[in-house]
Amino acid sequence: MNSTIHSSEDDLVFLDEPDSEEASVASKPMQTWRIMIIDDDPDVHSATTFALGSLEIQHRALSFLHAYSAAEARDILQTETDIAIILLDVVMEQEDAGLQLVSYIRKTLGLTDVRIILRTGQPGYAPEIDAIRDYDINDYKTKSELTRTKLYTAVTSAIRSYEQICAISASRRGLEMIIHASTELMALQGLQNFAAGVLVQVSGLLGLNTEGFVCARQTPVEQQDEGELFVIAATTLYEGKLNQSLSQLDTATSSIVTRSLALRQSVFEADITALYFNNVAQKDFTLYLNSGLHLNDMDNRLLSVFCGNVSVGLDNVMLTSRLHNYAFYDPLTGLANRLKLLQTLNETLLTSLKSHSALSLIDIDHFAETNDALGHQFGDLLLYSVAQRLSNTFGEHCQLARVGSDTFALLGEDNLVCPDKILTLFNAPFDVDQQEVQLSATIGLIKLDEYDGDGSEALKDTNIALKRAKMNRRGGYEYFTRSMGVEIRERVLLMHALRAAFEHEKLFLVFQPQIDMRDGRVTGAEALLRWKTDDGRFIPPDQFIPIAEYSGLIVDIGEWVLRTACFELVHLRSLGYTDFQMAINVSQVQFSHPLFMQSLNKALEDTKVPPHFVELEITESMAMKDPELLIKTLQQIKQLGMSVSIDDFGTGFSSLSHLQKLDVDKLKIDRAFVNEIQKNSSEGSIAKMIVQLGQNLGLSIIAEGVESEMQANTLLSYDCHIAQGYLYSKPLTRDDLHAWLATR
Ligand code: C2E
Ligand code: CA
Ligand code: CA
């Protein structure tokens, strides 16, 4: 083999080759452009290397491979790679040896990148035009034509083509990656990511620092009409145009895009190109490209090929983007759904937008009833028209979403997302199915500026505010406050803990004695509920009773208290305390429960306690709630033989006429009024009035919270004899009570 392969240079090539597969071929630090000279005339070899030897193209020198026959060339080509140009003699062993070699290179070896320049000694051996096209032959020159300058030009332009072809192969690999990755990309941000990827690919393809942007129609949901085109991705130079609509761009820029859209094809101009990407969905997707220099026909052809390739990927993207829409939009109203809202909300919380943003939940009052009464179809139309009105007012500036069946969410600047702006929308009736429907809404809001939770927490807290607003007044609003959140979250936690404690029998009763102050005789005790947690803390009943009431748990707990207190009373009677009265607190929720009387009966039956030693304490405020029910229930209780006292009397002041109608036995003066009885003070007159009132109504009186002798004496002077308080005893456990009673 007399071919001179510059092996030392080859080694360098391999040493410096990047190990990353992704690097584009164009940017490979290939040290030289490898040029293969195939000619049976050694003089041609030396003349060519002499002519080109010092040439540098794109800062790279040339290196040469030599073959002196077609056969030798075949051998070399089987092992050598990265050859940029083949300078090929047409006539060698045979007249058509050169053309056969071309066919071998392109077809058999499948080398499509290498550029081929045919040379011939004599004119008349020129290949057919068809062969030039079919075999992708770059140039055809007679040797006499190939002056040094012409050879320069031919080689330079062939290298440039080679470079671009390598780039497009690389970028085709990149495209495969885009297409492959598009499914995953879509899950995040759909078309935008894809568009940004396309921009990067175009730059890579041309091997230039091209600037540009991508326009696409943004049509989130099927029902919406064709939207405007928006700039959805841009390179640095055009970043300012991001999210602008086509009509907002200057005409110099937009005109070529508009033309490409109208023609539904790419438009090539001097340094500006608009690439049109066809797709099955027929959604407009155009790339504006400012290459900064005149692209030649070759570039433009490459770009067209590129468009063809991308369009395939685009179809995929459009498809996934539609799936994406189903995942992020509400099909009924076309608004974003909860997931989408959360996305925007999380983004807002991470940016400076946070400092002046607010979130609101808008709940349509009595929607469920309307839906039931007028049908679901009507309900759907109603929601649609509410969505329309919200969207007309806020759509452009805020993120609007439907987050529940009749609940909408609005996220935006806090001067827009505020109660009066939202609630006035409900002043005018809505047009639903040719009927005018007057609606009202209740809203909960949260200001995000000082909020430190994430999106889903913010949404939950707004919901807390909404619930609070609904509890207060329909058609009103409530801003979330930190205490609301703490309170509610703690309440929920406490509720779970309370349920568990009750189920595991961790609740117990204590008993606070009641005394006749005249002689110190024990008349009875009040049963009070206690909860000691596993870590030894006592949760005050003032805290957990309201939760038990709120959750309905009080019905079961109350029944347990009743039965346990009755059993204890039976026990005390068995110990000899036969004149002992047990006072038991009954909550309003328990009292108005339909099975309350039944549970009372059952407790009496099961414990066999004599009913007239049992006293039920109900609160005064409760006595005011549902007078009819109360009067009826009180009668039934009295028929059973139990007595009833009004607890905390004087705090939730009831009308006297009302009190007269109630069949109760006793008033319990609230601790607050007993507390007012201080030395040298004319206060305490309320306690005195209550005593007088009781006497007038023929009711007995008990004072609670008696802590000092002075209070006891004062009460005695008012003619109130019975008392309960720390002066005599704190609430005692069962065993302590027995011990305490034994010492009396
Ligand atoms: P209440 O029915 O007014 O009970 C009297 C409260 O005053 C008790 O608090 C008792 O420990 C406290 N007390 C008694 N003497 C004094 C005193 O001299 N000074 C002071 N500062 N306080 C005194 P407790 O046990 O914490 O109960 C608080 C409230 O929890 C009760 O108020 C009652 O409304 C409710 N509660 C307790 N047990 C039950 C129950 O079994 N069922 C229901 N529904 N509610 C209960
Ligand atoms: Ca009580
Ligand atoms: Ca009380």
Side-chain angles (χ1 to χ4, degrees):
M1 283 277 142
N2 58 353
S3 65
T4 39
I5 294 165
H6 296 217
S7 52
S8 59
E9 282 190 28
D10 281 357
D11 288 343
L12 272 177
V13 168
F14 286 107
L15 278 176
D16 283 351
E17 205 138 66
D19 36 24
S20 153
E21 258 294 296
E22 279 129 74
S24 90
V25 172
S27 67
K28 242 187 214 172
M30 186 166 36
Q31 301 274 302
T32 59
W33 298 114
R34 311 187 79 199
I35 300 195
M36 185 175 189
I37 303 168
I38 307 170
D39 207 305
D40 54 1
D41 182 357
D43 287 346
V44 174
H45 286 260
S46 45
T48 309
T49 43
F50 178 71
L52 299 176
S54 59
L55 187 62
E56 228 181 54
I57 299 170
Q58 319 264 51
H59 307 294
R60 273 191 238 169
L62 311 182
S63 65
F64 299 93
L65 294 134
H66 300 271
Y68 296 85
S69 68
E72 193 188 338
R74 283 173 201 234
D75 288 341
I76 295 171
L77 283 166
Q78 271 172 3
T79 51
E80 292 300 325
T81 54
D82 287 342
I83 296 171
I85 299 177
I86 295 176
L87 289 165
L88 175 59
D89 194 6
V90 176
V91 183
M92 289 179 288
E93 298 100 310
Q94 295 94 33
E95 279 187 358
D96 61 347
L99 276 182
Q100 277 182 16
L101 186 60
V102 171
S103 158
Y104 174 77
I105 292 168
R106 294 286 191 234
K107 289 194 169 158
T108 312
L109 294 179
L111 300 175
T112 50
D113 294 1
V114 62
R115 298 296 85 206
I116 299 174
I117 297 173
L118 284 182
R119 299 196 286 191
T120 172
Q122 316 93 318
Y125 286 91
E128 299 291 321
I129 290 290
D130 281 354
I132 291 187
R133 201 196 49 221
D134 291 351
Y135 292 137
D136 190 13
I137 292 166
N138 263 60
D139 230 335
Y140 177 78
K141 292 271 162 26
T142 59
K143 285 179 188 172
S144 58
E145 261 182 302
L146 276 180
T147 58
R148 191 177 177 194
T149 333
K150 284 220 174 115
L151 190 58
Y152 264 359
T153 326
V155 167
T156 310
S157 101
I159 294 253
R160 181 139 160 71
S161 300
Y162 174 71
E163 193 180 16
Q164 285 169 336
I165 286 167
C166 287
I168 203 172
S169 311
S171 106
R172 196 167 282 156
R173 280 204 299 277
L175 277 174
E176 278 161 12
M177 276 160 57
I178 290 193
I179 292 163
H180 178 74
S182 62
T183 321
E184 276 168 48
L185 289 176
M186 279 319 91
L188 300 173
Q189 269 161 32
L191 225 46
Q192 271 95 337
N193 268 346
F194 187 80
V198 169
L199 276 175
V200 172
Q201 289 301 317
V202 169
S203 266
L205 181 69
L206 296 174
L208 303 162
N209 248 344
T210 47
E211 296 279 356
F213 58 85
V214 174
C215 275
R217 278 195 208 283
Q218 293 208 305
T219 42
V221 196
E222 304 291 288
Q223 295 127 313
Q224 284 184 352
D225 49 347
E226 291 264 289
E228 252 209 285
L229 275 125
F230 285 90
V231 175
I232 61 166
T235 60
T236 334
L237 188 65
Y238 292 96
E239 233 158 37
K241 305 206 185 295
L242 213 57
N243 298 325
Q244 287 191 1
S245 69
L246 189 57
S247 56
Q248 284 173 287
L249 304 179
D250 52 297
T251 29
T253 312
S254 67
S255 71
I256 186 169
V257 175
T258 316
R259 230 166 338 127
S260 145
L261 288 169
L263 296 169
R264 287 186 174 270
Q265 66 185 45
S266 300
V267 176
F268 300 92
E269 277 183 0
D271 0 333
I272 308 272
T273 307
L275 296 179
Y276 187 82
F277 295 85
N278 243 314
N279 56 83
V280 178
Q282 296 283 309
K283 289 253 166 107
D284 290 323
F285 186 93
T286 302
L287 186 144
Y288 173 94
L289 190 67
N290 181 351
S291 59
L293 56 84
H294 197 99
L295 298 176
N296 60 28
D297 275 357
M298 178 64 158
D299 294 322
N300 293 344
R301 229 183 58 203
L302 294 184
L303 285 175
S304 298
V305 172
F306 175 78
C307 285
N309 268 312
V310 166
S311 293
V312 178
L314 191 56
D315 287 335
N316 275 348
V317 168
M318 296 283 188
L319 195 72
T320 31
S321 155
R322 264 174 58 198
L323 294 175
H324 171 270
N325 286 342
Y326 286 120
F328 286 94
Y329 292 89
D330 165 44
L332 174 66
T333 59
L335 300 180
N337 65 12
R338 183 192 171 84
L339 218 58
K340 175 74 184 156
L341 173 80
L342 276 177
Q343 217 176 55
T344 319
L345 187 55
N346 279 322
E347 282 161 17
T348 305
L349 286 169
L350 290 174
T351 61
S352 57
L353 281 178
K354 180 181 184 219
S355 65
H356 50 270
S357 289
L359 170 69
S360 165
L361 284 176
I362 305 161
D363 189 276
I364 315 231
D365 296 333
H366 311 298
F367 177 76
E369 290 96 306
T370 313
N371 215 22
D372 288 346
L374 300 172
H376 289 269
Q377 210 177 348
F378 190 85
D380 285 355
L381 291 171
L382 192 149
L383 289 172
Y384 185 73
S385 68
V386 172
Q388 278 313 101
R389 192 174 290 178
L390 284 169
S391 166
N392 289 343
T393 314
F394 296 104
E396 270 192 45
H397 314 283
C398 301
Q399 166 83 70
L400 193 58
R402 180 170 170 232
V403 293
S405 69
D406 57 345
T407 311
F408 296 90
L410 192 60
L411 169 67
E413 280 189 30
D414 50 12
N415 58 352
L416 283 174
V417 181
C418 58
D420 49 329
K421 289 227 166 59
I422 299 169
L423 290 174
T424 48
L425 286 191
F426 290 84
N427 287 346
F430 289 80
D431 252 334
V432 183
D433 204 14
Q434 288 152 5
Q435 295 181 49
E436 288 205 335
V437 184
Q438 184 61 58
L439 294 174
S440 73
T442 306
I443 61 182
L445 302 104
I446 193 166
K447 287 193 170 158
L448 299 178
D449 54 348
E450 280 181 1
Y451 193 75
D452 48 16
D454 66 14
S456 74
E457 286 165 336
L459 197 56
K460 264 189 214 148
D461 286 342
T462 317
N463 205 27
I464 288 173
L466 174 64
K467 278 201 179 134
R468 182 64 65 96
K470 281 199 211 169
M471 244 155 61
N472 293 351
R473 181 171 64 91
R474 291 293 174 139
Y477 68 91
E478 200 70 55
Y479 272 98
F480 174 78
T481 60
R482 205 172 295 228
S483 63
M484 223 183 250
V486 170
E487 199 183 298
I488 296 217
R489 239 171 257 138
E490 275 178 359
R491 279 171 69 170
V492 170
L493 287 178
L494 214 56
M495 187 181 87
H496 289 306
L498 177 61
R499 176 165 287 136
F502 179 56
E503 277 162 10
H504 296 108
E505 298 174 9
K506 297 285 170 57
L507 301 183
F508 62 98
L509 289 183
V510 290
F511 305 90
Q512 186 174 34
Q514 299 178 335
I515 308 285
D516 188 328
M517 294 185 281
R518 291 170 300 192
D519 51 14
R521 187 177 56 93
V522 179
T523 60
E526 178 184 5
L528 292 160
L529 192 56
R530 290 293 175 265
W531 173 15
K532 190 179 178 185
T533 59
D534 289 338
D535 54 9
R537 277 183 311 132
F538 278 102
I539 315 268
D542 289 334
Q543 250 176 55
F544 72 81
I545 297 282
I547 290 168
E549 288 175 335
Y550 182 79
S551 62
L553 208 55
I554 193 70
V555 174
D556 290 341
I557 293 180
E559 187 173 355
W560 176 85
V561 168
L562 187 73
R563 298 172 68 85
T564 310
C566 286
F567 274 118
E568 178 54 24
L569 182 57
V570 171
H571 183 64
L572 285 167
R573 292 177 65 82
S574 75
L575 293 176
Y577 307 105
T578 46
D579 198 14
F580 195 95
Q581 201 159 37
M582 186 64 83
I584 301 168
N585 293 285
V586 175
S587 143
Q588 138 102 46
V589 179
Q590 230 181 317
F591 199 79
S592 39
H593 193 275
L595 297 179
F596 178 63
M597 283 315 297
Q598 207 171 306
S599 78
L600 271 189
N601 268 316
K602 188 118 195 334
L604 291 181
E605 256 172 50
D606 291 352
T607 60
K608 311 228 162 30
V609 73
H612 44 276
F613 289 103
V614 177
E615 180 180 87
L616 301 184
E617 291 192 5
I618 62 171
T619 58
E620 188 187 0
S621 56
M622 171 168 135
M624 296 306 299
K625 277 246 166 84
D626 187 348
E628 301 305 319
L629 177 80
L630 181 68
I631 291 170
K632 221 178 94 203
T633 315
L634 285 178
Q635 277 171 357
Q636 291 174 337
I637 293 171
K638 298 311 285 288
Q639 270 165 20
L640 280 181
M642 295 180 176
S643 60
V644 175
S645 72
I646 295 187
D647 201 356
D648 304 339
F649 191 80
T651 51
F653 199 73
S654 41
S655 77
L656 281 180
S657 63
H658 190 74
L659 192 61
Q660 277 173 308
K661 283 191 217 145
L662 295 179
D663 200 358
V664 297
D665 306 273
K666 199 188 261 181
L667 299 182
K668 202 168 185 183
I669 307 172
D670 191 74
R671 206 163 67 225
F673 305 122
V674 174
N675 203 35
E676 277 176 4
I677 304 172
Q678 302 291 347
K679 221 181 245 153
N680 305 328
S681 145
S682 58
E683 300 285 352
S685 48
I686 293 184
K688 188 174 187 179
M689 272 168 49
I690 294 173
V691 177
Q692 285 169 355
L693 177 70
Q695 285 166 346
N696 287 341
L697 291 173
L699 304 174
S700 21
I701 302 286
I702 178 172
E704 71 176 334
V706 179
E707 295 182 0
S708 67
E709 293 285 355
M710 199 273 297
Q711 287 167 343
N713 293 331
T714 311
L715 285 163
L716 274 173
S717 75
Y718 296 158
D719 237 359
C720 166
H721 311 136
I722 314 293
Q724 177 185 340
Y726 294 170
L727 177 63
Y728 305 102
S729 173
K730 293 210 165 180
L732 303 167
T733 59
R734 214 181 104 140
D735 292 344
D736 288 349
L737 176 68
H738 297 166
W740 184 85
L741 284 174
T743 62
R744 304 289 295 188

